[in-house]
mmCIF file of all heavy atoms in Angstrom:
data_model
loop_
_atom_site.group_PDB
_atom_site.id
_atom_site.type_symbol
_atom_site.label_atom_id
_atom_site.label_comp_id
_atom_site.label_asym_id
_atom_site.label_seq_id
_atom_site.Cartn_x
_atom_site.Cartn_y
_atom_site.Cartn_z
ATOM 1 N N THR A 92 118.088 101.427 93.049
ATOM 2 C CA THR A 92 117.393 101.054 91.798
ATOM 3 C C THR A 92 116.281 102.065 91.612
ATOM 4 O O THR A 92 116.068 102.692 90.563
ATOM 5 C CB THR A 92 116.764 99.665 91.903
ATOM 6 O OG1 THR A 92 117.781 98.749 92.152
ATOM 7 C CG2 THR A 92 116.178 99.269 90.514
ATOM 8 N N THR A 93 115.413 102.293 92.583
ATOM 9 C CA THR A 93 114.156 103.064 92.450
ATOM 10 C C THR A 93 114.553 104.513 92.370
ATOM 11 O O THR A 93 113.921 105.331 91.585
ATOM 12 C CB THR A 93 113.160 102.852 93.489
ATOM 13 O OG1 THR A 93 113.719 102.971 94.813
ATOM 14 C CG2 THR A 93 112.610 101.434 93.431
ATOM 15 N N LYS A 94 115.530 104.940 93.065
ATOM 16 C CA LYS A 94 115.974 106.382 93.039
ATOM 17 C C LYS A 94 116.430 106.669 91.552
ATOM 18 O O LYS A 94 116.062 107.715 91.034
ATOM 19 C CB LYS A 94 117.199 106.514 93.997
ATOM 20 C CG LYS A 94 117.850 107.877 93.930
ATOM 21 C CD LYS A 94 117.302 108.828 95.031
ATOM 22 C CE LYS A 94 117.874 110.175 94.922
ATOM 23 N NZ LYS A 94 116.820 111.185 95.209
ATOM 24 N N ILE A 95 117.290 105.810 91.019
ATOM 25 C CA ILE A 95 117.804 106.113 89.678
ATOM 26 C C ILE A 95 116.714 106.124 88.601
ATOM 27 O O ILE A 95 116.507 106.942 87.858
ATOM 28 C CB ILE A 95 118.900 105.104 89.336
ATOM 29 C CG1 ILE A 95 120.068 105.089 90.304
ATOM 30 C CG2 ILE A 95 119.443 105.342 87.830
ATOM 31 C CD1 ILE A 95 120.769 106.456 90.483
ATOM 32 N N VAL A 96 115.921 104.911 88.681
ATOM 33 C CA VAL A 96 114.826 104.797 87.657
ATOM 34 C C VAL A 96 113.851 105.992 87.663
ATOM 35 O O VAL A 96 113.411 106.485 86.717
ATOM 36 C CB VAL A 96 114.173 103.393 87.717
ATOM 37 C CG1 VAL A 96 113.013 103.366 86.806
ATOM 38 C CG2 VAL A 96 115.095 102.311 87.507
ATOM 39 N N SER A 97 113.575 106.376 88.932
ATOM 40 C CA SER A 97 112.604 107.529 89.107
ATOM 41 C C SER A 97 113.198 108.833 88.528
ATOM 42 O O SER A 97 112.446 109.701 88.232
ATOM 43 C CB SER A 97 112.186 107.687 90.568
ATOM 44 O OG SER A 97 113.251 108.132 91.282
ATOM 45 N N SER A 98 114.446 108.916 88.364
ATOM 46 C CA SER A 98 115.013 110.089 87.798
ATOM 47 C C SER A 98 114.989 110.035 86.205
ATOM 48 O O SER A 98 115.326 111.002 85.525
ATOM 49 C CB SER A 98 116.412 110.394 88.230
ATOM 50 O OG SER A 98 117.341 109.487 87.700
ATOM 51 N N TYR A 99 114.702 108.900 85.658
ATOM 52 C CA TYR A 99 114.576 108.743 84.215
ATOM 53 C C TYR A 99 113.165 108.835 83.747
ATOM 54 O O TYR A 99 112.855 109.032 82.504
ATOM 55 C CB TYR A 99 115.069 107.361 83.751
ATOM 56 C CG TYR A 99 116.510 106.932 84.043
ATOM 57 C CD1 TYR A 99 116.872 105.622 84.137
ATOM 58 C CD2 TYR A 99 117.486 107.896 84.184
ATOM 59 C CE1 TYR A 99 118.188 105.223 84.409
ATOM 60 C CE2 TYR A 99 118.829 107.537 84.428
ATOM 61 C CZ TYR A 99 119.153 106.257 84.505
ATOM 62 O OH TYR A 99 120.409 105.872 84.798
ATOM 63 N N ALA A 100 112.195 108.677 84.667
ATOM 64 C CA ALA A 100 110.812 108.524 84.248
ATOM 65 C C ALA A 100 109.903 109.649 84.911
ATOM 66 O O ALA A 100 110.271 110.305 85.816
ATOM 67 C CB ALA A 100 110.246 107.193 84.724
ATOM 68 N N ASP A 101 108.712 109.815 84.354
ATOM 69 C CA ASP A 101 107.779 110.798 84.919
ATOM 70 C C ASP A 101 106.868 110.139 86.004
ATOM 71 O O ASP A 101 106.300 110.803 86.809
ATOM 72 C CB ASP A 101 106.927 111.345 83.812
ATOM 73 C CG ASP A 101 107.754 112.106 82.827
ATOM 74 O OD1 ASP A 101 108.228 113.144 83.223
ATOM 75 O OD2 ASP A 101 107.931 111.548 81.679
ATOM 76 N N ILE A 102 106.742 108.806 85.853
ATOM 77 C CA ILE A 102 105.820 108.026 86.827
ATOM 78 C C ILE A 102 106.408 106.701 86.887
ATOM 79 O O ILE A 102 106.920 106.124 85.817
ATOM 80 C CB ILE A 102 104.388 108.167 86.341
ATOM 81 C CG1 ILE A 102 103.415 107.550 87.322
ATOM 82 C CG2 ILE A 102 104.135 107.539 84.942
ATOM 83 C CD1 ILE A 102 101.993 107.919 87.076
ATOM 84 N N MET A 103 106.313 105.980 87.993
ATOM 85 C CA MET A 103 106.919 104.712 88.204
ATOM 86 C C MET A 103 105.921 103.698 88.827
ATOM 87 O O MET A 103 105.217 104.064 89.805
ATOM 88 C CB MET A 103 108.102 104.794 89.080
ATOM 89 C CG MET A 103 108.900 103.565 89.288
ATOM 90 S SD MET A 103 110.620 103.892 89.832
ATOM 91 C CE MET A 103 110.342 104.331 91.494
ATOM 92 N N VAL A 104 105.757 102.569 88.212
ATOM 93 C CA VAL A 104 104.855 101.564 88.715
ATOM 94 C C VAL A 104 105.658 100.382 89.300
ATOM 95 O O VAL A 104 106.545 99.923 88.575
ATOM 96 C CB VAL A 104 103.966 101.008 87.579
ATOM 97 C CG1 VAL A 104 102.965 99.970 88.140
ATOM 98 C CG2 VAL A 104 103.181 102.186 86.986
ATOM 99 N N MET A 105 105.402 99.983 90.549
ATOM 100 C CA MET A 105 106.260 98.926 91.079
ATOM 101 C C MET A 105 105.510 97.826 91.741
ATOM 102 O O MET A 105 104.554 98.071 92.511
ATOM 103 C CB MET A 105 107.183 99.528 92.102
ATOM 104 C CG MET A 105 108.269 98.630 92.620
ATOM 105 S SD MET A 105 109.383 99.383 93.677
ATOM 106 C CE MET A 105 108.657 98.938 95.196
ATOM 107 N N ARG A 106 105.858 96.590 91.427
ATOM 108 C CA ARG A 106 105.347 95.410 92.170
ATOM 109 C C ARG A 106 106.579 94.721 92.847
ATOM 110 O O ARG A 106 107.615 94.541 92.180
ATOM 111 C CB ARG A 106 104.670 94.434 91.169
ATOM 112 C CG ARG A 106 104.406 93.122 91.876
ATOM 113 C CD ARG A 106 103.560 92.234 91.085
ATOM 114 N NE ARG A 106 102.142 92.671 91.060
ATOM 115 C CZ ARG A 106 101.158 92.009 90.488
ATOM 116 N NH1 ARG A 106 101.323 90.815 89.950
ATOM 117 N NH2 ARG A 106 99.905 92.478 90.505
ATOM 118 N N HIS A 107 106.344 94.289 94.025
ATOM 119 C CA HIS A 107 107.470 93.688 94.765
ATOM 120 C C HIS A 107 106.904 92.668 95.790
ATOM 121 O O HIS A 107 105.816 92.816 96.297
ATOM 122 C CB HIS A 107 108.144 94.837 95.563
ATOM 123 C CG HIS A 107 109.483 94.538 96.076
ATOM 124 N ND1 HIS A 107 109.769 93.796 97.235
ATOM 125 C CD2 HIS A 107 110.721 94.894 95.632
ATOM 126 C CE1 HIS A 107 111.069 93.696 97.403
ATOM 127 N NE2 HIS A 107 111.685 94.319 96.428
ATOM 128 N N PRO A 108 107.711 91.626 96.037
ATOM 129 C CA PRO A 108 107.233 90.536 96.941
ATOM 130 C C PRO A 108 107.215 90.936 98.426
ATOM 131 O O PRO A 108 106.633 90.163 99.258
ATOM 132 C CB PRO A 108 108.234 89.368 96.677
ATOM 133 C CG PRO A 108 109.445 90.058 96.124
ATOM 134 C CD PRO A 108 108.979 91.243 95.350
ATOM 135 N N SER A 109 107.848 91.998 98.800
ATOM 136 C CA SER A 109 107.917 92.434 100.229
ATOM 137 C C SER A 109 106.870 93.385 100.596
ATOM 138 O O SER A 109 106.601 94.383 99.832
ATOM 139 C CB SER A 109 109.248 92.955 100.579
ATOM 140 O OG SER A 109 110.307 92.056 100.418
ATOM 141 N N GLU A 110 106.185 93.269 101.704
ATOM 142 C CA GLU A 110 105.186 94.144 102.127
ATOM 143 C C GLU A 110 105.808 95.514 102.541
ATOM 144 O O GLU A 110 106.866 95.470 103.192
ATOM 145 C CB GLU A 110 104.415 93.647 103.406
ATOM 146 C CG GLU A 110 103.441 92.499 102.970
ATOM 147 C CD GLU A 110 103.838 91.143 103.375
ATOM 148 O OE1 GLU A 110 104.190 90.942 104.586
ATOM 149 O OE2 GLU A 110 103.695 90.261 102.489
ATOM 150 N N GLY A 111 105.257 96.570 102.096
ATOM 151 C CA GLY A 111 105.781 97.906 102.385
ATOM 152 C C GLY A 111 106.828 98.402 101.391
ATOM 153 O O GLY A 111 107.325 99.508 101.516
ATOM 154 N N ALA A 112 107.181 97.677 100.239
ATOM 155 C CA ALA A 112 108.196 98.037 99.370
ATOM 156 C C ALA A 112 107.869 99.325 98.603
ATOM 157 O O ALA A 112 108.742 100.136 98.414
ATOM 158 C CB ALA A 112 108.452 96.897 98.362
ATOM 159 N N ALA A 113 106.547 99.535 98.238
ATOM 160 C CA ALA A 113 106.330 100.763 97.506
ATOM 161 C C ALA A 113 106.468 102.041 98.339
ATOM 162 O O ALA A 113 107.028 103.018 97.959
ATOM 163 C CB ALA A 113 104.871 100.671 97.037
ATOM 164 N N LYS A 114 106.137 101.900 99.650
ATOM 165 C CA LYS A 114 106.281 102.976 100.536
ATOM 166 C C LYS A 114 107.826 103.313 100.791
ATOM 167 O O LYS A 114 108.271 104.356 100.747
ATOM 168 C CB LYS A 114 105.637 102.771 101.882
ATOM 169 C CG LYS A 114 105.826 103.943 102.871
ATOM 170 C CD LYS A 114 105.022 103.735 104.153
ATOM 171 C CE LYS A 114 103.583 104.079 103.987
ATOM 172 N NZ LYS A 114 102.903 104.178 105.308
ATOM 173 N N ALA A 115 108.545 102.170 100.883
ATOM 174 C CA ALA A 115 109.982 102.316 101.044
ATOM 175 C C ALA A 115 110.621 103.054 99.838
ATOM 176 O O ALA A 115 111.421 103.905 99.992
ATOM 177 C CB ALA A 115 110.659 100.922 101.203
ATOM 178 N N ALA A 116 110.180 102.682 98.637
ATOM 179 C CA ALA A 116 110.735 103.282 97.529
ATOM 180 C C ALA A 116 110.334 104.771 97.389
ATOM 181 O O ALA A 116 111.189 105.667 96.963
ATOM 182 C CB ALA A 116 110.168 102.549 96.182
ATOM 183 N N ALA A 117 109.100 105.092 97.788
ATOM 184 C CA ALA A 117 108.645 106.467 97.791
ATOM 185 C C ALA A 117 109.505 107.418 98.698
ATOM 186 O O ALA A 117 109.481 108.602 98.531
ATOM 187 C CB ALA A 117 107.154 106.530 98.070
#
Side-chain angles (χ1 to χ4, degrees):
T92 307
T93 53
K94 173 98 187 144
I95 302 301
V96 174
S97 69
S98 71
Y99 300 155
D101 299 288
I102 187 164
M103 183 159 77
V104 178
M105 192 178 89
R106 168 171 288 189
H107 197 282
S109 297
E110 283 111 47
K114 182 174 277 191

